Every structure is written in structure tokens, then in C-alpha cells.
Amino acid sequence: MVLPHSMPLVPLPLSASVGDGRMPIGEATRITGDAAAAAQLIDAVAQRTGIRLPLPSDADRAADIHLRIDPGAAALEGYRLTIGDTAEIVGGDEAGLFYGVQSLLQLLRQDDEGWGVARAEIFDAPRFARRGVMLDVARHFFGVDDVKKFIDHISALKFNHLHLHLSDDQGWRIQIDSWPKLTELAASTAAGGAPGGFYTKDDYREIVAYAASRHMIVIPEIDLPGHTHAIGVAYPELVEAPVMNDGLISESKRLGQELPVAGEPYLGWGVGHSSVRIHDERTYDFVRDVVRELVEMTPGPYIHIGGDESLGTPQADFDHFVERATAIVFEEGRTPVAWHEVGAAADIAEGTIGQYWGKATPDGTHAAEAAHFVERGGALIMSTADKTYLDMKYAPDFPLGLTWAAIIDVRSAYEWEPTEVLDVPDEAILGVEAPLWSETTATIGEVEQLVFPRAAAQAEVAWSSRDAPERTWESFRERLGSMAPLWKAGGVDFHPADDVPWSER
Ligand code: ACM
């Protein structure tokens, strides 16, 4: 494969070649074929260039851009894109067609003659079926329009899962009819005293539908049994009194944050002090009700039950809780996902998916906990904290973000291999998810500064073949630089990291 750096594509396609010249794109460019893909392409071209291409019509036999689906022509989520005097995108399925359109949009460039796309032949399909980003809407809340914009720009990088962290100590963010005080009493606060908020069921369904239109599955997370202080603001009878730990006390002091007080909103971002009551059946009524209502409004196959940092919960209690909670999710018809600590429990429900958030050089306990999901017939998502955590600072003096896992510059985010972290079979690795925890990000613009460009590094780790000659930092940084005009046109407040040659157009 010859992929000149002048080919501005992230993530790197499976195979691609560029010919001479370009196909101009202008007001007379006509599209034909799949109506949904055509409408998305027309909107995206208009946002980028100001040119609104005409809607497809049956009379358009001599169209310039042909969009269609042919399961025989490409793999699931794959596509073939051919650009000569005319262009054709053939998706192996709807998602593949959508990804072919995203690649065409990356090729769309302005030069002295106007807008055009390079002549090219691309054949593409993903390495991992699972490519995700997590947005923490609990520490700070982001409204429906912000989340839709976020979906636009991560789906353009061919991510196909959006994990929403819907509850934490600082606030509860989703309407649950059977436990109405969650949003009446525990949703109006956020980290640092920022205003909170929550999604009504209609809001949530709107996000899910919008994500689906961009071929993204939403994974809702209710973090349990820890990270549950907000639940106790609404229903004190469901939680234990806060249990302080040394890290919480010293960090609170350093940051000038109050320690958690039972029943009062918690605005700091210390962790590990909260727990639901493990030996009270009302807790399991609560878990089941919440899971059931989430299932009713979540078409995707997963419900995430958290499981991280339950530092004040005795291990035997923790194990008992997560064994029951994972079983409840299966009983309600979905597959549970949980942070790797849940793998400490011997009898987690078989088939539970683990999310590893330890480091690229694992601690033995974390590695064993993660491996236990595989022993129980499950599999793993890699959220290697010192590589994929989007809330880590790029540099020590970066104004946003935290540092506990690592300082992660763009190159470090790019250079890691998901199958080489844990001692499990390669097939047990479903893919990669990059989490954005929002303690320090109060606006979606601040979120974007941490997410872009590093999410693009994880997109390539998850999508592109690890053996491709161009899967190198030198190639990636050039191709990444070519994303700048797209992000600028989309109003994305990306961080122009100085190790990347950002292009103007
Ligand atoms: C985590 O970062 N507490 C999963």
C-alpha cells in the first residue's frame, strides 16, 4: 500500500491509493443513491464549504457521487470508495456507507481552484468491532445539543460506541420514574458547585436516536456500589455513611474541597467514600428498577454497572453486590459491562464484559481481575488509563485535566497496542474505549480541548491494521494535522498540540 502523507485520512484505511488530480465539488455536483447517507453528506458538505448540493432525484441518472450498500462488496462497517471523474461509495452495510462518507469528507479540500476530492481508491474495514468514547456527564453535565455535537465529531473518526457515565457522587443525570427523587433532589449539583442537570427520558431517547443515526450504540452507566453519594441525597436509606480514606482526605485538603457529608450534595471530586447498602433488599429493588427503566429506553445490548473504586466497601460485600448486579442485568435482557475491579468477585454473571482501566504495564491485581472476566466467558474493553484517558493533561502546565495516570501527549496516546497489555487471548479483546472524565471540564469546549486530537489516536489504534506500514507516529502526525480544517469548520475547540503539523486547508 502506498499512502502518501498528503492523503488526509484518520483512522488509516486498510488499503488506499491516490491518483493524479481531483474531482471538483460544487453547486452542480449531484448525489444519487441511499437517501439517509445522501442527506448526511449534503449537510456535512454545507457545513464545511457553504455549498448546499442538490437533493438526489430520480432524474439524476448522471450523478457525480453514487452511494449504495452491497453486503458482498465490503465487510461489516467496511466500504469501498472510488473517486475518478465521478465518485462511488459502496458500504458493506449502513455503517460502512456512513464511514465511506466520512472518508470522502476527509478528502474534501479547498485549493486555489475551489473545493474538490482527491482521486483515490480506498478499501476499508475496521480491526476491532468495538471503538468507543466515554463522556462523564455526572461530574459536569452536558446537555442534549452538546452531546449531539460530540457524537458528530467522534463518529466522524469511526467510533461506534458512546458510553455515558450517568451517575456519580456529584449528581444523578437520568430520569427514573420509579425513583423520582433521584432527579428531583440529586441532579441539580455538579463538581465545584457548577450547575447540574439531567436527561428526561425523551432527552435520553433523542441522544440514543441521534447516536444510532451516526451508527453509534449508547452504553448507559450507573456507577455502583460506590460513586453513589448522590443517590443518598435523594434516598438516604439506600446508602452507607461516607467512609473517608487517606487519599480522599489529602486530595481534598490540597484542592481546598469539603469532605463528603451524608445526605448533602458533594461538590469535590475525591473518590472511594460512598457505597449503597449491600445487605438491604431495597438496594436490589433499586438496582433492578433502574436497570429495567434503562433497558426500556436503550436499544443497545449493554448496561454498565460501574464497580470502580468502592474503597470503603468490604471486599466480601463488594463481591456479593456485583455478583447480584451483573445477574440482574442479564435477567433484564442485557449484557453487563463493569470496570475491572468487578473481576475480583468469583461468581460474576457469566459473559459479563470487563473494562480494564489499569496501566499499560499492569499491576498484577488489576490484570488478574481483568482476566477473570475472560475466565467467566466474557471479554474485555481496553481503557488503558495512561494511554486512553482523555482527561489526563497533555503537558504538566496544560490548564485542564488531571495527572494521576500520566501526562499523555499525542504521541504517547498513539503508541500502544491493546492486545499486549494483559495476558489474555487476542480474541478476548473486543476493542478500545477512551474515557473523558469531567472533573475539570465545565463546558463542551473544554471537553473538546482534551478529546481532540487524542481521540483520533485511539480511533486509529482501534480501527487500523496494526501491521500497516503507515501505522506509525510519523505518518499519523501528518494525517492528524490535516484534520484541523474539518474541526475548525465544525466549531471543535481542539488542542493544537505542537508536535503535530496542523494544516490550514
Ligand atoms: C475510573 O477511572 N475510576 C474507572
Side-chain angles (χ1 to χ4, degrees):
M1 178 180 66
V2 179
L3 186 69
H5 292 149
S6 61
M7 188 169 233
L9 294 166
V10 177
L12 180 74
L14 198 54
S15 78
S17 62
V18 210
D20 289 333
R22 68 210 266 288
M23 173 183 148
I25 300 285
E27 266 147 31
T29 304
R30 306 191 85 79
I31 303 175
T32 187
D34 186 273
Q40 287 177 336
L41 177 58
I42 288 169
D43 284 348
V45 169
Q47 190 198 43
R48 179 82 180 290
T49 68
I51 300 167
R52 185 153 280 279
L53 305 180
L55 285 169
S57 81
D58 290 341
D60 279 338
R61 294 224 178 73
D64 305 292
I65 302 176
H66 300 254
L67 306 173
R68 64 188 176 88
I69 294 167
D70 176 358
L76 288 180
E77 298 191 296
Y79 63 92
R80 183 183 292 281
L81 166 60
T82 313
I83 305 172
D85 291 336
T86 60
E88 184 182 53
I89 307 174
V90 187
D93 55 8
E94 284 179 25
L97 182 56
F98 176 80
Y99 296 137
V101 167
Q102 302 314 309
S103 292
L104 182 86
L105 289 166
Q106 292 186 353
L107 292 170
L108 177 63
R109 300 284 151 171
Q110 190 177 30
D111 63 18
D112 294 342
E113 290 159 40
W115 289 94
V117 285
R119 288 172 196 252
E121 175 83 44
I122 297 174
F123 184 68
D124 202 4
R127 176 182 177 197
F128 288 109
R130 182 165 189 124
R131 307 173 305 279
V133 174
M134 188 202 84
L135 183 61
D136 171 8
V137 297
R139 269 53 173 274
H140 281 97
F141 180 69
F142 306 101
V144 174
D145 289 344
D146 285 345
V147 176
K148 286 182 174 176
K149 182 184 178 205
F150 189 73
I151 289 169
D152 283 342
H153 295 287
I154 56 173
S155 63
L157 293 168
K158 305 185 173 75
F159 283 104
N160 62 359
H161 287 73
L162 173 65
H163 169 181
L164 290 176
H165 183 75
L166 289 168
S167 70
D168 213 303
D169 293 314
Q170 296 77 4
W172 181 277
R173 306 296 179 214
I174 181 75
Q175 178 187 348
I176 298 294
D177 295 332
S178 53
W179 296 82
K181 288 191 216 166
L182 291 167
T183 47
E184 285 166 18
L185 300 179
S188 66
T189 51
F198 69 92
Y199 304 121
T200 64
K201 289 193 162 178
D202 283 347
D203 289 341
Y204 178 83
R205 288 195 173 100
E206 190 177 335
I207 291 170
V208 167
Y210 193 82
S213 74
R214 271 89 183 140
H215 304 282
M216 298 196 79
I217 290 172
V218 171
I219 305 167
E221 178 188 356
I222 300 301
D223 206 347
L224 296 163
H227 289 276
T228 43
H229 186 92
I231 295 172
V233 173
Y235 295 100
E237 66 275 21
L238 289 177
V239 302
E240 301 288 355
V243 176
M244 307 302 164
N245 58 72
D246 291 347
L248 168 71
I249 292 167
S250 62
E251 270 298 274
S252 301
K253 201 164 177 184
R254 190 177 70 80
L255 295 164
Q257 296 176 347
E258 302 288 331
L259 290 170
V261 177
E264 291 180 16
Y266 177 58
L267 309 180
W269 59 63
V271 298
H273 46 89
S274 52
S275 181
V276 291
R277 291 192 185 165
I278 308 286
H279 298 290
D280 186 337
E281 275 309 300
R282 280 302 276 162
T283 295
Y284 301 93
D285 295 341
F286 171 80
V287 173
R288 189 177 293 281
D289 288 341
V290 170
V291 169
R292 193 188 62 245
E293 292 196 36
L294 285 174
V295 165
E296 283 165 8
M297 52 184 164
T298 304
Y302 309 108
I303 302 288
H304 201 307
I305 54 139
D308 57 324
E309 297 176 314
S310 293
L311 306 182
T313 314
Q315 188 67 46
D317 286 1
F318 178 83
D319 293 358
H320 175 76
F321 177 84
V322 298
E323 287 167 1
R324 289 192 65 177
T326 53
I328 286 171
V329 175
F330 274 120
E331 285 157 19
E332 296 300 325
R334 293 294 190 276
T335 299
V337 186
W339 299 107
H340 71 237
E341 289 100 313
V342 166
D347 293 327
I348 48 171
E350 286 181 31
T352 299
I353 291 172
Q355 185 163 5
Y356 175 76
W357 64 283
K359 298 204 176 170
T361 303
D363 164 281
T365 305
H366 297 164
E369 288 165 352
H372 189 55
F373 288 89
V374 182
E375 291 155 12
R376 296 286 291 166
L380 292 165
I381 302 161
M382 298 302 287
S383 294
T384 311
D386 50 350
K387 294 292 173 182
T388 72
Y389 265 40
L390 298 167
D391 60 315
M392 294 298 118
K393 289 179 184 287
Y394 293 90
D397 61 352
F398 196 74
L400 301 167
L402 303 175
T403 57
W404 62 263
I407 302 287
I408 308 179
D409 63 17
V410 183
R411 181 169 189 166
S412 176
Y414 183 73
E415 292 187 329
W416 73 288
E417 166 49 42
T419 62
E420 285 178 0
V421 176
L422 299 170
D423 189 14
V424 296
D426 286 1
E427 313 80 73
I429 305 298
L430 299 176
V432 175
E433 183 184 296
L436 185 284
W437 300 98
S438 64
E439 287 94 329
T440 68
T441 51
T443 65
I444 200 71
E446 291 178 346
V447 168
E448 288 167 353
Q449 285 186 45
L450 288 170
V451 171
F452 301 95
R454 288 180 298 187
Q458 303 317 331
E460 182 145 319
V461 170
W463 177 280
S464 306
S465 166
R466 72 180 288 197
D467 303 322
E470 299 287 335
R471 253 292 264 121
T472 63
W473 165 246
E474 278 312 315
S475 167
F476 177 70
R477 65 189 279 279
E478 299 275 346
R479 290 181 286 106
L480 183 62
S482 69
M483 295 300 110
L486 283 79
W487 289 336
K488 280 185 190 156
V492 176
D493 194 5
F494 70 99
H495 170 54
D498 56 16
D499 45 356
V500 177
W502 300 104
S503 66
E504 285 299 321
R505 54 189 206 172

